[in-house]
Amino acid sequence: MSRIKWNLEILEQLKQKNKMEMDETESIIYKGREILSSMTEEVWEGEDGDMARDQLYEIFNKEMVETWRQLDDCKTSIHKAQDTAFEAKNFCNELYQIFQNGTIPADSDSSSCGGDVLCDLENGEILKTHMENAGKSAESLKSNIEMAESILAELETDEAKYDYTSYTEPIKRQAQDVIDREKLFRVAVTRYDQKVEDMDRAFSSQMLQATPDIVPEPFDIACLQGYVFNHFKKSDIVDYVGNYETGDLGDSAGTLQIQDIFKMLFDRNDIDINSLSDEDIEIAFLKLSKEEQRAMLLGMGISRTEIDSIMASKEKRRGYFRQYFNSQARNSISDIDFKNPKTKFSTNADCADSKSKSKSSGYSGSGSNTGVVDCDSPSCAYPRLVEYDGPATRLNDAANALCDDDPSNDAQAIETMNECLDAGFYYEDKDGTKYLMYDTEYLEYCKEKAGEGSLLYGLLDDYERFLKENSAEYGVVSAFDGYSWDPTYSLKVSQLRAGYQLTLNVDSQVFGSEIDNKRVAYEATYETANNYFYEGGELNWENISEWLKADPIDEDSLEYSVFAEHMRNMTDEEIENVLALGQIETAVPFFPDIYERGPVLPIISDRYYLLVETLFFRQDISEEEYKELIDQETRAIAFAKVVEAMENNGGCKVTVDFSPTDCEDGKIYTVNMMVESRNDTAFTKDPILNSYAQSNLANSLSRTIVVYPNASEEALDNYIREEAIDVLETFEHPILLMEYSKDDVKKICLQTIEYVIGKVYGEVGKQDRYGLCFDALTIAESIAKDYEDTIAARGATDALKQGKAAESMAITGRVISTTGTGEKGIVIENYTIDEKKLLIRVASYNGSKNESLSLKSLMDSYSENGDDFQKYNDWYGSNTGRNNSNYYEYTVQKALEEMYNINSIDLASVEQVNEAIGLVEEAVAKLGIITVTEESVKDVTSWIKEEAKNG
């Protein structure tokens, strides 16, 4: 099947029901064995007694035990399916990681989650095709940029140089990101589709195999389709087996079972079987998947040994269907569906008398019921769509009016919707109990009329889910045991911040409200959210403040994406205002107010970042828009870091200042996060000590966050050095308090950081870089020794090591620094490793050092900071290692040109790069040299060209 949908809550219900059935079966077995042990020969004599003991022994020691085992098999299948469903749902929820940091999430997270597992294979293929096209466009873009670079390089002279790389490199990097991440995304979507499809197929098959061959209702086929669960029913086993052996199954087919079969065949269970031909049934049957066909045949009472032959023979199948549906099942369906006919609206004149009778009998709903009555008129026997069309059209038009930008008609639209929604209520008597029902056909017709994606569809879809999950039978709203009162009911629409809700009320007027203003649906669309956040061409900050402080109704609601769209267009000052309004102030008696981060800020933080990442994949994006998105991405990450830090605010109010500065790769966002003192008398009654304690608390929680744009390996290293220098400049060494000029102090600081960096990079000896005198150099060296012992310096030194590693490991990523009281953390986040570049560098390292280090071993050692990585990192950090690596990369590029006519390593696959490296290694071996160096690079490239000519 092309579309799969599992409801995880229903799956949990199935698991609990299976457990109950197992416990009940086990109890029956033990009770039966107790009865059997009491049936001694002294009490039960003769042939009848022996026969009874034998039969009961077979039942309680063999047949019931086998039933328990089959239920246990079902339990295993359910648990396995549930774990797989959780894995699929969690994997799908984390797919955004691909766009965030270029990694595929783990597909083995089986932690509990709710909602639906959805998989549409056709749409998945369409999505993968779009992603593949995006990747091809990115490859084309990168190739064109590189061609432009080569043209510009040829135009350069000693007198005229062009700084084109500052424009081309960011484009190339982002294009490569698109290429890499779209491939990952396609792999992830394929993995998800396959996992869900295998899960669905395996569960259906396992549950069918675990079902006994001969039981009155062999398998609850509704379970596979997600409908109402049915309990196995008691029946005369002996009579059933007799009918089974003679092939006469018509009389034993239960009504509910037949309705389930109709539901599978025609997606509805109120079919008039007399209007269907054999061809109609046959066509509907063939549209089912193989698993559904087997489930249906089992539901009809056919043993597994006969199913294969029936499925293989068209004539045998038709004959069996004819016998099955022409028996008492046909009459049973007719009786069930049409013995209590009813109309849905009072527009039919034949219902007028019935309406008055209903009221006089005390059965009609008062209050908000709008012409909905029980009807015994023959003309009302079959619901007609024309009866639904009028109110459904009014309902849809009113819902659309709520989505326009004219609030003046909203009150009338809500009144109309309430009237049309109440029209779906009616009463039905069953077994002496009166049920308040909701017309599910009317509900489904209104949904179809509205169309997916609309406000009305979303509200009705939620309401439909409520009716299915909160009652024993789909469509039942409430049940009443008395007849001497006049119950009221209503289903009302009202605005709830950025969306609209449906609330249900049912009052018997005897025991109080059975259902009191219960929210049964909520939906927000782009239009409703946009109207709420934006009014008169300006942001409505009053509404935004209310929304930011309220508990989320549905974290998956579209309103958060709509607000993220507005955030993209906000100024930095408005972003600061969002963070200020997103804090919840709670009054505490006798103490200052407590502030805490509101629940909406983390949601919009994720949506803001995800929106920006998604926009990078637009095919029509201009160069100017691309630069703007890079800055937006940096700001979105800065926003997320602040939101994360606000969780630990000590109950204090937080104010934030965003300060962007320009650099070669885009904007650098520096965010000053200031925590205000609360002047809380809980600390101490001494006002001086209290002020001091509060000031220390606020200072310890305040911090400065600096977020750099995504950058190449070289730029990462430079950014980290800048942050390390910033750390040093805040280090107040006593020697600097001497009488040095401001300029000399700056030079001493810079020279000090050179000592620290030199120690990390193995480049000690760059003393007189800033023209300092001997005394100043001595001071700088002294400061460096003291500086290395500070907490902040250790963090900066670790970051410098990361920068060095980023260069050697071909890492691109983003530098983020956080400065608090007395410490500074500098990290590289969202980094990716250029596997092709690293392959080439490892090959050069192996040749230079006579090693046999593999790419995987190096990456594992890097993650553990192991010896292999340290040796490689020191080699690449030296001038010799870096130069030899560059020469090796040049020869690999030449090999790719000769072998595949590829003029850029970025356009080659990993396999092609590996083959090119093999050719270079062959050239090195033939020429009798150790590796590619400055002296041998020409000889190696010449050998490669000659080898290519010779084929």
Side-chain angles (χ1 to χ4, degrees):
M1 68 180 64
S2 64
R3 190 172 189 272
I4 297 169
K5 177 179 178 180
W6 278 29
N7 184 285
L8 297 179
E9 281 76 18
I10 291 180
L11 190 59
E12 176 64 22
Q13 292 172 21
L14 180 61
K15 184 176 80 172
Q16 296 303 324
K17 180 181 175 181
N18 172 263
K19 183 179 183 303
M20 291 172 57
E21 298 286 357
M22 288 186 68
D23 293 342
E24 188 176 346
T25 302
E26 187 174 356
S27 174
I28 291 172
I29 291 172
Y30 285 121
K31 288 179 181 177
R33 288 176 177 177
E34 289 176 5
I35 294 171
L36 182 60
S37 63
S38 68
M39 295 175 60
T40 60
E41 291 187 5
E42 290 79 10
V43 179
W44 295 77
E45 296 180 352
E47 187 175 317
D48 289 342
D50 293 338
M51 183 181 299
R53 277 190 293 273
D54 291 342
Q55 288 178 344
L56 288 175
Y57 181 88
E58 288 290 319
I59 291 173
F60 295 118
N61 289 284
K62 294 183 179 180
E63 295 176 3
M64 290 297 292
V65 172
E66 180 61 23
T67 299
W68 188 92
R69 289 197 188 101
Q70 288 163 338
L71 288 170
D72 188 55
D73 290 343
C74 291
K75 181 186 79 171
T76 302
S77 300
I78 294 167
H79 278 262
K80 184 176 179 181
Q82 192 176 47
D83 285 344
T84 309
F86 287 159
E87 289 173 2
K89 177 75 172 179
N90 290 326
F91 178 77
C92 184
N93 287 345
E94 296 297 322
L95 284 182
Y96 71 91
Q97 287 185 20
I98 295 173
F99 303 105
Q100 188 178 58
N101 54 29
T103 59
I104 295 182
D107 61 353
S108 57
D109 179 11
S110 59
S111 57
S112 177
C113 55
D116 294 330
V117 176
L118 297 172
C119 177
D120 192 317
L121 301 180
E122 294 176 0
N123 286 337
E125 289 301 321
I126 294 172
L127 177 60
K128 286 189 284 185
T129 300
H130 288 318
M131 295 300 295
E132 186 177 15
N133 291 337
K136 290 177 180 177
S137 298
E139 288 178 356
S140 175
L141 171 64
K142 191 173 181 184
S143 177
N144 291 336
I145 292 295
E146 287 168 346
M147 188 180 300
E149 284 180 331
S150 63
I151 294 172
L152 291 171
E154 292 174 2
L155 295 175
E156 282 186 337
T157 64
D158 293 336
E159 293 76 25
K161 297 286 186 180
Y162 302 97
D163 182 22
Y164 53 83
T165 56
S166 62
Y167 299 96
T168 58
E169 282 299 324
I171 299 174
K172 287 163 58 180
R173 283 195 303 272
Q174 290 294 339
Q176 186 60 45
D177 280 348
V178 173
I179 295 166
D180 295 340
R181 295 182 186 188
E182 69 86 11
K183 289 179 182 176
L184 287 177
F185 191 81
R186 283 191 285 130
V187 169
V189 172
T190 300
R191 185 184 300 180
Y192 175 77
D193 288 348
Q194 190 62 49
K195 191 181 191 75
V196 175
E197 190 176 21
D198 291 346
M199 171 188 73
D200 187 75
R201 185 184 301 111
F203 183 56
S204 300
S205 175
Q206 290 166 4
M207 290 294 286
L208 289 174
Q209 291 172 9
T211 304
D213 284 348
I214 303 176
V215 290
E217 289 189 44
F219 176 63
D220 195 357
I221 55 177
C223 295
L224 294 179
Q225 298 299 316
Y227 305 137
V228 180
F229 299 115
N230 307 321
H231 295 281
F232 293 132
K233 297 177 176 58
K234 298 178 182 179
S235 65
D236 190 335
I237 300 292
V238 176
D239 289 346
Y240 181 84
V241 173
N243 291 335
Y244 176 85
E245 292 174 346
T246 60
D248 182 15
L249 298 175
D251 292 342
S252 62
T255 297
L256 192 54
Q257 183 180 346
I258 297 171
Q259 289 179 306
D260 287 336
I261 291 172
F262 281 150
K263 190 75 174 177
M264 292 186 73
L265 287 172
F266 306 105
D267 201 28
R268 52 186 294 186
N269 55 15
D270 57 347
I271 302 296
D272 178 13
I273 189 64
N274 297 293
S275 66
L276 295 175
S277 64
D278 292 345
E279 286 76 18
D280 293 332
I281 297 173
E282 174 74 8
I283 291 172
F285 178 84
L286 293 175
K287 287 182 179 179
L288 301 177
S289 67
K290 295 296 183 183
E291 290 78 8
E292 289 171 328
Q293 290 176 359
R294 294 182 66 87
M296 173 183 157
L297 293 173
L298 278 169
M300 293 168 63
I302 305 173
S303 68
R304 283 197 290 268
T305 56
E306 290 185 272
I307 284 177
D308 291 336
S309 63
I310 290 175
M311 291 180 67
S313 171
K314 177 179 177 181
E315 292 304 319
K316 188 172 184 179
R317 186 165 59 243
R318 283 197 173 186
Y320 196 94
F321 286 166
R322 198 175 297 117
Q323 176 193 358
Y324 184 83
F325 291 116
N326 284 341
S327 63
Q328 292 182 17
R330 183 182 299 270
N331 295 329
S332 177
I333 286 292
S334 299
D335 291 340
I336 288 293
D337 281 357
F338 310 124
K339 67 183 180 182
N340 184 22
K342 56 186 177 294
T343 185
K344 311 303 187 266
F345 302 100
S346 59
T347 53
N348 194 322
D350 291 334
C351 297
D353 293 338
S354 173
K355 179 176 180 180
S356 61
K357 290 176 184 177
S358 175
K359 281 195 170 184
S360 63
S361 302
Y363 291 160
S364 68
S366 63
S368 298
N369 53 328
T370 308
V372 185
V373 297
D374 293 341
C375 177
D376 298 322
S377 169
S379 64
C380 299
Y382 300 92
R384 298 189 298 274
L385 293 183
V386 68
E387 295 177 338
Y388 296 149
D389 194 60
T393 301
R394 291 179 62 214
L395 181 63
N396 188 46
D397 291 344
N400 291 337
L402 293 180
C403 297
D404 62 25
D405 54 4
D406 179 13
S408 64
N409 58 8
D410 288 357
Q412 181 59 49
I414 289 175
E415 183 179 346
T416 301
M417 288 185 71
N418 291 339
E419 180 183 344
C420 295
L421 286 168
D422 283 350
F425 288 107
Y426 66 94
Y427 289 114
E428 189 168 294
D429 291 337
K430 292 182 181 180
D431 302 324
T433 300
K434 177 170 282 297
Y435 291 90
L436 176 64
M437 309 288 292
Y438 200 87
D439 189 341
T440 56
E441 290 180 11
Y442 174 51
L443 183 63
E444 290 165 4
Y445 184 76
C446 291
K447 281 178 60 179
E448 185 178 351
K449 188 88 171 176
E452 286 194 51
S454 66
L455 173 65
L456 180 59
Y457 185 95
L459 290 171
L460 295 182
D461 195 50
D462 281 0
Y463 181 48
E464 183 179 41
R465 192 177 300 112
F466 166 80
L467 290 176
K468 288 180 178 179
E469 295 175 358
N470 292 274
S471 59
E473 181 181 341
Y474 177 37
V476 174
V477 179
S478 188
F480 306 109
D481 294 327
Y483 297 94
S484 60
W485 27 254
D486 196 13
T488 61
Y489 51 81
S490 67
L491 185 62
K492 293 189 177 297
V493 180
S494 59
Q495 184 172 6
L496 184 58
R497 296 186 288 277
Y500 285 84
Q501 64 178 346
L502 288 182
T503 53
L504 178 63
N505 287 278
V506 178
D507 187 354
S508 66
Q509 301 196 43
V510 174
F511 303 106
S513 297
E514 278 70 19
I515 303 176
D516 185 16
N517 208 37
K518 182 179 181 61
R519 184 192 303 133
V520 294
Y522 176 81
E523 182 70 9
T525 66
Y526 177 86
E527 292 80 11
T528 63
N530 194 57
N531 292 340
Y532 181 75
F533 298 131
Y534 211 68
E535 185 177 359
E538 294 181 352
L539 290 167
N540 188 325
W541 287 106
E542 184 178 347
N543 284 353
I544 291 172
S545 177
E546 176 193 30
W547 180 76
L548 287 170
K549 291 177 171 61
D551 288 330
I553 300 169
D554 178 7
E555 293 188 11
D556 295 326
S557 175
L558 183 63
E559 64 203 83
Y560 301 105
S561 297
V562 175
F563 189 76
E565 185 80 41
H566 286 299
M567 289 178 69
R568 193 169 74 88
N569 299 316
M570 287 180 185
T571 64
D572 293 336
E573 290 75 16
E574 288 171 330
I575 289 291
E576 294 166 7
N577 199 26
V578 170
L579 289 165
L581 295 174
Q583 299 173 70
I584 298 175
E585 181 181 5
T586 305
V588 182
F590 310 112
F591 291 98
D593 294 347
I594 292 176
Y595 290 83
E596 60 181 342
R597 186 188 70 184
V600 174
L601 285 180
I603 302 173
I604 61 174
S605 174
D606 291 341
R607 293 293 179 90
Y608 181 25
Y609 176 77
L610 184 60
L611 169 68
V612 174
E613 290 298 296
T614 304
L615 291 174
F616 276 112
F617 293 94
R618 282 174 40 201
Q619 294 186 0
D620 58 343
I621 188 170
S622 66
E623 181 179 348
E624 195 64 32
E625 288 174 323
Y626 188 81
K627 290 181 180 178
E628 190 267 336
L629 281 178
I630 290 175
D631 295 340
Q632 283 280 353
E633 182 183 42
T634 306
R635 189 173 75 165
I637 291 175
F639 184 89
K641 291 297 177 184
V642 173
V643 170
E644 183 180 338
M646 286 174 69
E647 187 174 11
N648 302 310
N649 63 348
C652 302
K653 185 178 181 180
V654 178
T655 57
V656 177
D657 175 63
F658 277 69
S659 301
T661 54
D662 293 323
C663 70
E664 186 176 326
D665 295 304
K667 289 186 185 299
I668 302 169
Y669 268 90
T670 302
V671 185
N672 291 312
M673 182 177 157
M674 294 150 284
V675 178
E676 299 179 4
S677 299
R678 290 183 57 222
N679 294 322
D680 193 343
T681 56
F683 276 82
T684 172
K685 293 181 179 180
D686 189 313
I688 297 176
L689 292 177
N690 180 59
S691 176
Y692 177 76
Q694 284 296 329
S695 177
N696 278 354
L697 172 64
N699 288 337
S700 66
L701 294 174
S702 298
R703 64 196 66 199
T704 299
I705 300 170
V706 183
V707 181
Y708 286 81
N710 207 59
S712 64
E713 53 200 76
E714 297 87 359
L716 283 178
D717 193 22
N718 291 333
Y719 293 152
I720 287 177
R721 290 188 187 215
E722 289 178 16
E723 286 298 310
I725 291 172
D726 182 62
V727 172
L728 180 69
E729 289 176 339
T730 62
F731 178 57
E732 295 182 358
H733 195 278
I735 300 176
L736 294 182
L737 301 178
M738 298 169 62
E739 293 182 1
Y740 279 95
S741 67
K742 189 174 182 180
D743 186 54
D744 283 344
V745 170
K746 178 72 172 178
K747 289 180 179 179
I748 291 173
C749 289
L750 294 174
Q751 184 60 54
T752 302
I753 203 68
E754 286 296 330
Y755 280 117
V756 178
I757 293 173
K759 198 167 183 180
V760 172
Y761 284 81
E763 298 173 356
V764 178
K766 293 183 178 179
Q767 279 88 0
D768 200 9
R769 180 166 182 175
Y770 299 99
L772 295 172
C773 64
F774 177 78
D775 289 343
L777 289 172
T778 304
I779 290 173
E781 191 170 1
S782 173
I783 293 174
K785 291 178 181 177
D786 293 339
Y787 169 69
E788 288 174 355
D789 294 331
T790 66
I791 296 174
R794 286 198 291 272
T797 303
D798 290 341
L800 288 167
K801 291 177 181 178
Q802 288 187 58
K804 178 184 176 184
E807 195 171 3
S808 68
M809 293 293 289
I811 287 174
T812 60
R814 182 186 307 279
V815 173
I816 298 177
S817 75
T818 304
T819 306
T821 304
E823 61 179 276
K824 186 182 186 87
I826 307 171
V827 296
I828 301 174
E829 288 195 1
N830 298 338
Y831 72 83
T832 57
I833 295 177
D834 189 328
E835 187 175 341
K836 291 175 284 190
K837 276 189 179 181
L838 196 55
L839 273 171
I840 295 169
R841 294 176 187 179
V842 170
S844 178
Y845 169 75
N846 287 337
S848 299
K849 295 293 186 179
N850 194 26
E851 295 280 358
S852 57
L853 183 65
S854 68
L855 178 65
K856 185 179 184 306
S857 298
L858 174 60
M859 294 177 74
D860 291 343
S861 182
Y862 168 68
S863 64
E864 300 168 359
N865 199 26
D867 291 339
D868 286 339
F869 164 69
Q870 293 295 344
K871 292 177 184 177
Y872 163 80
N873 196 34
D874 291 340
W875 167 82
Y876 188 84
S878 66
N879 289 332
T880 301
R882 190 180 292 105
N883 289 338
N884 284 356
S885 179
N886 290 337
Y887 292 130
Y888 205 102
E889 183 174 334
Y890 176 80
T891 55
V892 170
Q893 176 62 69
K894 293 300 178 185
L896 287 170
E897 290 176 7
E898 298 296 338
M899 297 170 70
Y900 301 106
N901 195 28
I902 295 176
N903 60 4
S904 170
I905 292 173
D906 292 333
L907 297 178
S909 65
V910 174
E911 291 75 17
Q912 289 170 333
V913 170
N914 261 320
E915 292 179 11
I917 290 172
L919 186 59
V920 173
E921 289 176 344
E922 185 180 350
V924 168
K926 295 289 184 182
L927 294 171
I929 57 179
I930 296 175
T931 188
V932 182
T933 62
E934 184 178 8
E935 294 76 20
S936 62
V937 63
K938 290 184 179 178
D939 294 336
V940 174
T941 53
S942 297
W943 186 91
I944 290 173
K945 287 182 179 179
E946 194 63 32
E947 189 72 8
K949 288 180 182 178
N950 298 331

